Structure formats: C-alpha cells, structure tokens
Amino acid sequence: MGFENLFNKITKADYYLILMFILLLISISVKFYFNSSGYLSPDSTNYLLLAQNLLDNNSFYISNPDVKIKPFTIWPIGYSVLIFLIAKLTGFSVFLASKFINIAVIFLFINLFKKEFKENTYLYVLVFFFASFIQIYSYSWSESFFIFCIFWFTKSIYSIIINFHSGVRIYISILFSSLLMFLFRYIGSFSFGIIGLLGLYYLFFKKEREKSFFLLMIAVFNTLFMFAYLYNNYLETGYYTGIARNFQSHSSMELFIMLVKSIVSIIIVYSNHVIWKDVAFPLFQVLIIFILVVKYRKKILKNDGDNSKLFFSFVFFIIGLLYLISIALLSCAAYVEELNYRLLAPGSFLIFIALINYFENNLLPRYFKIFKIILVSIAFYSWCVNVPYQVLKDIKNSKPLQVNLYNSESTFVKK
C-alpha cells in the first residue's frame, strides 16, 4: 500500500526528471569509461593526487615524477578535500569518488530546481545537456561543484534582497557559499566584492543597518580569510597562488577575438569549439530570433509579469555577468591563457537559468510552448553530438579506461 501511495504522488513531470537523470548518469559513465584518459586532465590528476595523499594519511603535499614533494597551492584545496571525504565514506577510489561527486551534484540540482521551478523543472535540467556542462560533469574538475556553489550563492543573494527581515540562516548561507567558491576556485573571491558592495548599498541607500552590518562583516571576514590563505601559499612557495602566473600577454586584437569567441561559445550551446564556418548559420538563426523577439515583444510578452520572478532573472543574470567580467579582466591581465568553456561555464550557467526563468514568466502561453520545443530540440541535439557521437569516436580511437597515474602499474581506477 505504501508503494502505491508513493507512485500515486509521482507526477508525469517527475517521471521526466527521473528519465533525464538516468540519461545523464549513463551518459557521464559511458563517456569516461570509453575514454582512454577517463576524462582526466593535468589539473584533474593533481586534484586526485592530493586526495589520494590525504587518504594515505599524509598532509597537503603532492608528489609527481618531476617534483617529489611540493605543497598543493596552485589550486585551492576544496575539491581535493571533497574527493577525499567521499572516497573515505564510500570506499571508492579517488577516481570514482570524483565521478560520483559529478553525478551527486546533478542529482542535487534536480531536487533544488524542483523546489524552485515546480512543473517546469525539466527546462532548467536541460542546461546539463549543453556541451559545456556535459564535458565538465564528465571530467574530474572543480568546476562541477563550483557551479553548485555559485548557484547557492546567487540564490542566497536573491533571498536576502527580496526579504525585508532576514534571519541568521541566510547570512550563514552567504558566508559559506562564498567561502566554498573561493576554496574550490580562486576566482570565487569575486563574490566577496559582491557581498561588500551590497552591504554598502544597504548602508548608504536603503538605510538598513542590520543587513549592512552582517553583509560587511561577512565580506571583511572572507577577505581576511582569503589573504591568510594566499599568504600561507606565499610562505610555502614564494607565490600567492603557487606559481608565477605570467602567461604570454595578448595584443588588443587577440584579446578582442578571444572575447568574441567566448561570447559565441556561450551562444552555440552544442559545441565547445568555435569554428566559424560551422557556427555561422546557427549564429544567423539566433540573430534573426533575437530581432523578431525585440520587434514583436509587445505581442509575445506578458504585460502583467511577476516582478519578483523578473527580479530573480535579473539577479542571476547580473551575477553571471559579473563572473564573466571577472574572468575577462583576468585574461586582460594575462593571468588566463584562453577563455575556454571550462572557465566560462559557471557564469554562463547562471545566465542560462536567468533566461529560461525570464521566458517562463514573461512569454505568453502560446509562445512559451514554442520556446520549450526549441529548447528541448537544442538540448537533444547537443546531447547527440557530445555523447553518442563522441563516445563512438572514443571507442574507435582508443581502448576503454586506461587511466594511469605515473605511467606505471599505479592507477586511480583501482584501489
């Protein structure tokens, strides 16, 4: 009887979400299994090295064939510690623990989306079928959990803005989400500036001293934590982020082309690589749709849209844009060699959520149905290109899962 009640509570939309999660689970598993590297990059290898070192009851140092022992400072420690904890709790190898985290984060997102977006949750889950996110959640990269942190942070900022009386819980949420962003990727420190600016806004414009006090205290505490963390790196290595990050500087034209490619790579969601002859027609289609929406906006958009929902889209869009600007500024300072999909994904994720939410709440029902059809079609096409097609190429070109740590018998796959 209990099972009957359970199945009666499951709606048609829930079945869609279950099927989408299963499809993503299978897709990620198949992709890393049939890829000879297991979707490990050099960064991934270092993350796993530290996690394995922690499992072996050692400290925050790693060793490799070139340098026997060195402190783990080039990347923040958050992702490796999370892998270590999952491996410790489950008994998985650090390799499998990293993949488990990716799948668990998607599962967590689906549940969060369901609470926030109700019957249209599947539209937001479709973002994970875009090329950038299929790749990120196949690799063992810190971005997989960082995207969750930046979503958590943005939702917390939205919540404190729309509530006149905020409890302690929302300040704790902002504190920990922003700290975790920094501990998973150094660029996460951009959130400290957002918190500080918001605190100053409430102090000088809104005259809400309580909000201002807590926000400014969080910004100060997080900033001090960041300086202490980076200073420790300096004491260990002589550099604040572990190495001298002086990449080849870009000319104005090179920088402009890189920025244009970055924007195009966000728009063309089925591919992570901008090849102009391949993206010219899709870009033309996007431009036409944009022109039509602007021209006929009075006929296709509601006049009585929910302002709170509109503000939700605004907050997510602005914070996503601020993240992208922060990354772009790093590239201008020559601290980023290339603005690739991995770096852009967290900001573009927030922007995609903002756009879907905007259309959901502002398009007339007739046009919203058309939007849903377009979004589902794009996501399905992206999945076809980046999962079955790519897996078939991997099967043809390499042997399944030959992940090796030191080009010896030691491997991350087997514990």
Side-chain angles (χ1 to χ4, degrees):
M1 191 68 180
F3 283 106
E4 290 180 5
N5 291 332
L6 177 63
F7 283 112
N8 288 334
K9 291 181 180 179
I10 298 177
T11 65
K12 187 177 180 181
D14 291 329
Y15 283 115
Y16 287 151
L17 295 178
I18 292 169
L19 288 174
M20 292 173 77
F21 175 71
I22 292 173
L23 184 58
L24 287 169
L25 169 62
I26 294 172
S27 298
I28 292 170
S29 302
V30 168
K31 277 177 73 68
F32 76 71
Y33 180 80
F34 285 106
N35 185 277
S36 59
S37 72
Y39 273 91
L40 294 182
S41 69
D43 285 2
S44 305
T45 302
N46 283 284
Y47 291 132
L48 299 188
L49 277 169
L50 179 58
Q52 186 61 55
N53 204 43
L54 293 172
L55 276 177
D56 295 336
N57 298 315
N58 296 317
S59 58
F60 289 91
Y61 288 78
I62 60 173
S63 60
N64 60 40
D66 299 321
V67 180
K68 291 301 179 184
I69 298 177
K70 62 179 180 179
F72 191 85
T73 53
I74 299 175
W75 308 266
I77 62 171
Y79 183 53
S80 294
V81 170
L82 181 60
I83 294 172
F84 156 72
L85 292 173
I86 297 299
K88 192 75 172 177
L89 291 171
T90 62
F92 290 160
S93 68
V94 291
F95 173 80
L96 290 179
S98 69
K99 305 305 181 184
F100 176 83
I101 289 168
N102 293 352
I103 294 166
V105 168
I106 292 175
F107 180 79
L108 181 59
F109 261 120
I110 290 174
N111 283 278
L112 290 174
F113 286 170
K114 193 173 186 304
K115 290 181 181 179
E116 184 69 35
F117 305 119
K118 305 300 186 287
E119 67 274 5
N120 286 318
T121 298
Y122 74 96
L123 294 176
Y124 299 86
V125 178
L126 287 172
V127 173
F128 290 104
F129 290 78
F130 294 173
S132 297
F133 304 102
I134 289 176
Q135 290 297 95
I136 284 173
Y137 285 91
S138 297
Y139 271 100
S140 296
W141 281 340
S142 59
E143 281 77 9
S144 62
F145 195 79
F146 182 85
I147 290 172
F148 166 73
C149 293
I150 197 172
F151 177 87
W152 175 16
F153 172 76
T154 306
K155 182 64 168 62
S156 300
I157 292 295
Y158 166 74
S159 297
I160 202 170
I161 291 174
I162 64 171
N163 291 312
F164 291 103
H165 303 287
S166 302
V168 175
R169 187 171 62 176
I170 191 64
Y171 296 110
I172 294 174
S173 180
I174 292 174
L175 170 68
F176 281 102
S177 61
S178 58
L179 273 180
L180 281 175
M181 285 169 64
F182 171 73
L183 287 172
F184 275 77
R185 289 185 62 214
Y186 288 129
I187 188 63
S189 58
F190 90 101
S191 63
F192 305 164
I194 293 174
I195 298 169
L197 290 173
L198 192 60
L200 292 174
Y201 171 76
Y202 278 110
L203 177 63
F204 293 110
F205 294 95
K206 287 291 190 176
K207 308 298 181 182
E208 296 184 37
R209 293 187 176 182
E210 182 180 332
K211 272 189 181 181
S212 173
F213 173 78
F214 282 112
L215 288 170
L216 289 174
M217 286 301 98
I218 292 171
V220 170
F221 175 83
N222 286 1
T223 303
L224 291 175
F225 178 89
M226 177 187 69
F227 281 129
Y229 187 101
L230 296 179
Y231 184 66
N232 181 69
N233 287 351
Y234 179 79
L235 294 178
E236 292 278 0
T237 65
Y239 300 101
Y240 290 105
T241 55
I243 57 173
R245 297 177 183 266
N246 295 318
F247 303 126
Q248 182 179 358
S249 60
H250 306 288
S251 67
S252 298
M253 182 55 65
E254 287 173 336
L255 184 61
F256 176 76
I257 293 173
M258 184 168 64
L259 291 173
V260 170
K261 281 188 174 182
S262 301
I263 295 170
V264 172
S265 69
I266 293 173
I267 296 173
I268 307 301
V269 299
Y270 63 83
S271 176
N272 295 314
H273 306 288
V274 177
I275 302 173
W276 294 111
K277 65 177 182 179
D278 295 334
V279 302
F281 184 66
L283 275 178
F284 176 74
Q285 290 178 311
V286 170
L287 179 61
I288 294 298
I289 292 172
F290 176 77
I291 292 172
L292 290 174
V293 169
V294 172
K295 184 176 181 180
Y296 297 105
R297 61 187 181 279
K298 293 183 179 179
K299 295 182 178 180
I300 65 176
L301 296 176
K302 298 177 183 177
N303 295 321
D304 56 346
D306 187 338
N307 289 331
S308 65
K309 290 293 184 181
L310 182 61
F311 196 71
F312 179 96
S313 301
F314 176 77
V315 172
F316 271 72
F317 185 87
I318 290 299
I319 294 182
L321 186 62
L322 287 173
Y323 170 86
L324 295 177
I325 291 172
S326 300
I327 287 290
L329 290 175
L330 286 179
S331 69
C332 292
Y335 287 110
V336 175
E337 292 183 275
E338 180 185 4
L339 286 175
N340 56 33
Y341 70 93
R342 179 184 173 186
L343 296 176
L344 299 172
S348 61
F349 182 83
L350 296 183
I351 290 174
F352 287 136
I353 296 299
L355 291 175
I356 293 171
N357 187 258
Y358 175 81
F359 288 126
E360 177 189 357
N361 291 286
N362 290 278
L363 283 176
L364 292 170
R366 174 185 174 185
Y367 296 102
F368 183 55
K369 288 181 180 178
I370 296 173
F371 169 75
K372 289 191 288 187
I373 292 171
I374 293 173
L375 183 60
V376 170
S377 301
I378 292 172
F380 180 71
Y381 177 73
S382 174
W383 179 83
C384 289
V385 171
N386 292 282
V387 180
Y389 177 72
Q390 185 60 49
V391 168
L392 287 173
K393 285 176 63 177
D394 287 340
I395 292 173
K396 182 179 178 181
N397 297 330
S398 63
K399 296 179 181 179
L401 204 58
Q402 300 295 318
V403 181
N404 198 289
L405 177 55
Y406 298 123
N407 295 320
S408 67
E409 293 180 358
S410 173
T411 178
F412 281 129
V413 181
K414 297 179 182 179
K415 191 171 180 180

